[in-house]
Amino acid sequence: MAINKLCLESGGTWQDVSPTDLDNDLQLRQQTERIYNSYQQASQKAIIAMNDWVRQHQEMFLEIKEDLK
């Protein structure tokens, strides 16, 4: 599955995304960095919340220990 982008420079045609797009487009890189930073913060909060919930509801989980012989 290819990821496409709308390229206005070429008359509004769709093109495949290139790994160098972030290197060549400062605005795209800045937008992507803002989105990624938000994602990192949100994912850390979600992981902490899930871990807290699991700790508070340990009776709902089964712990499997592997025999290390």
Side-chain angles (χ1 to χ4, degrees), residues 26-68:
L26 178 60
Q27 183 180 9
L28 177 62
R29 183 174 1 150
Q30 291 171 339
Q31 290 172 341
T32 304
E33 286 172 352
R34 283 193 297 272
I35 292 168
Y36 183 69
N37 289 337
S38 296
Y39 159 77
Q40 283 185 309
Q41 292 173 5
S43 64
Q44 288 174 358
K45 289 179 183 178
I47 290 169
I48 290 168
M50 288 185 280
N51 288 340
D52 289 344
W53 190 90
V54 169
R55 282 190 204 98
Q56 293 172 11
H57 299 89
Q58 290 183 23
E59 71 281 357
M60 298 178 70
F61 297 90
L62 176 65
E63 182 177 355
I64 300 174
K65 294 184 179 181
E66 184 177 336
D67 188 12
L68 300 175

